[in-house]
Amino acid sequence: MNAAALLYPFILVAGALQALGNTMNARLRGSLVNPWLAATVSFLPIVFVFVTLFAVLPVPLPTAEGLARMPWWAPLGGLAGAVAVFGGLALVDKVGAGPFNGLLITGNILTSLVIDALGLFGMPAVGFRLLPWLGGLLMIGGIVLIARAGRSGAGAGEARAHGIDGRLLYPFVLGAGALQAVGVVLNAQLRGALVNPWLAAAVSFLPIVFVFLTIFLLRPVPLPSRQDLAGMPWWASLGGLAGAVAVFGGLLLVDRVGAGAFNGLLITANLMTSLALDHFGWMGMPVCRAGPHRLVGAALMAAGIALISAA
């Protein structure tokens, strides 16, 4: 068995947690009202955990030579990935977990294919191979079906009730998925330069908290009421930690299995978990049953991921 295949179960779990994290963040946003406050609360526990782990396990430490070789953009991986987290905070309840994560996934995997093909951001260049790009086309077809099914779902109806057509939000979600793929690769570069994975994770997330906290201080209203806070589920603030498992997986594993395979496996678990969240209405999501369009779309995306991962 390929040694990299032993890492696949961890990546699949990370993908499922990523989908759950987006939904948790949506509930956190609903309870805290102010999106910048919600984003700060989501990321603060992550920084605390990774800083604590680094304090407990401070070695190995980076060398001066390693720091000198580190690209200037390596510490920006967390910020790139944070766009997707903020998208989950603000948009997942407007477009539905299935369409949101499907669009995020499509932008992610297509960007990952380009990164692998061209060797961007220090990744090995593998050239343009037919099977992965055929897989990408299947994924696009799949997300079109899932998104079409989502238009008539409860999430879409709620969005229209607020004067928003969920389809207008699709380009932002695609862009967030592309940045998410870039963030995974940047984090791998950061891990290589800083050596210690806990230090690398802390450095990746610290700028995110600084940015969101600064924006919240500049725009401190609206604030949640006591009733809002009383209705917040205990797990809502754990969305950032759930999604951080995928970020930490990228720090450790993307350079071992490749950006396409890593994001393909992450995406498989993410997509299936997202469709289940919509179908059963878990974690307060509006129920949107997985009818024929969604199931066929999911099958196309799974087939596309299989082609990408197997190439």
Side-chain angles (χ1 to χ4, degrees):
M1 179 186 291
N2 187 340
L6 298 175
L7 305 173
Y8 289 177
F10 175 82
I11 300 172
L12 289 170
V13 170
L17 288 173
Q18 191 178 57
L20 292 172
N22 284 333
T23 305
M24 293 176 185
N25 282 328
R27 287 301 302 271
L28 181 67
R29 162 68 175 82
S31 297
L32 296 186
V33 183
N34 188 309
W36 310 112
L37 173 61
T40 304
V41 171
S42 180
F43 280 106
L44 270 175
I46 309 172
V47 173
F48 173 78
V49 167
F50 285 130
V51 169
T52 301
L53 287 169
F54 172 61
V56 173
L57 298 165
V59 291
L61 286 173
T63 63
E65 291 181 358
L67 292 175
R69 290 195 303 268
M70 182 175 72
W72 65 267
W73 35 258
L76 302 180
L79 281 173
V83 177
V85 176
F86 187 75
L89 278 162
L91 306 179
V92 72
D93 56 342
K94 295 179 174 63
V95 300
F100 177 86
N101 285 293
L103 288 159
L104 198 74
I105 280 164
T106 302
N108 186 320
I109 201 67
L110 292 179
T111 304
S112 298
L113 288 173
V114 173
I115 290 171
D116 276 346
L118 299 178
L120 301 177
F121 304 109
M123 293 296 293
V126 298
F128 287 88
R129 296 173 295 173
L130 178 61
L131 285 181
W133 285 94
L134 179 59
L137 289 175
L138 287 176
M139 292 188 69
I140 292 173
I143 188 52
V144 167
L145 289 174
I146 292 172
R148 283 183 62 189
R151 291 177 196 171
S152 57
E158 182 180 339
R160 284 192 294 269
H162 290 82
I164 301 170
D165 187 337
R167 288 172 289 180
L168 299 177
L169 305 173
Y170 288 176
F172 175 84
V173 183
L174 284 169
L179 286 174
Q180 191 178 56
V182 172
V184 167
V185 179
L186 298 190
N187 281 329
Q189 293 287 328
L190 182 66
R191 163 69 174 82
L194 297 186
V195 185
N196 188 309
W198 311 115
L199 173 61
V203 170
S204 179
F205 282 106
L206 272 172
I208 307 171
V209 174
F210 174 78
V211 168
F212 285 132
L213 181 59
T214 300
I215 296 175
F216 169 62
L217 292 174
L218 293 174
R219 303 188 65 178
V221 290
L223 286 174
S225 65
R226 289 185 180 180
Q227 185 176 358
D228 292 325
L229 294 176
M232 183 173 71
W234 65 268
W235 41 259
S237 60
L238 302 179
L241 280 173
V245 176
V247 176
F248 188 70
L251 278 163
L252 290 179
L253 307 178
V254 73
D255 53 347
R256 300 183 188 182
V257 301
F262 177 86
N263 285 296
L265 290 162
L266 198 75
I267 280 162
T268 301
N270 188 321
L271 174 67
M272 299 309 170
T273 305
S274 301
L275 291 178
L277 286 167
D278 273 351
H279 183 77
F280 295 107
W282 290 336
M283 294 185 167
M285 289 298 297
V287 174
C288 185
R289 299 297 181 187
H293 281 88
R294 284 192 166 209
L295 293 175
V296 172
L300 285 175
M301 292 193 75
I305 291 164
L307 288 175
I308 292 166
S309 301

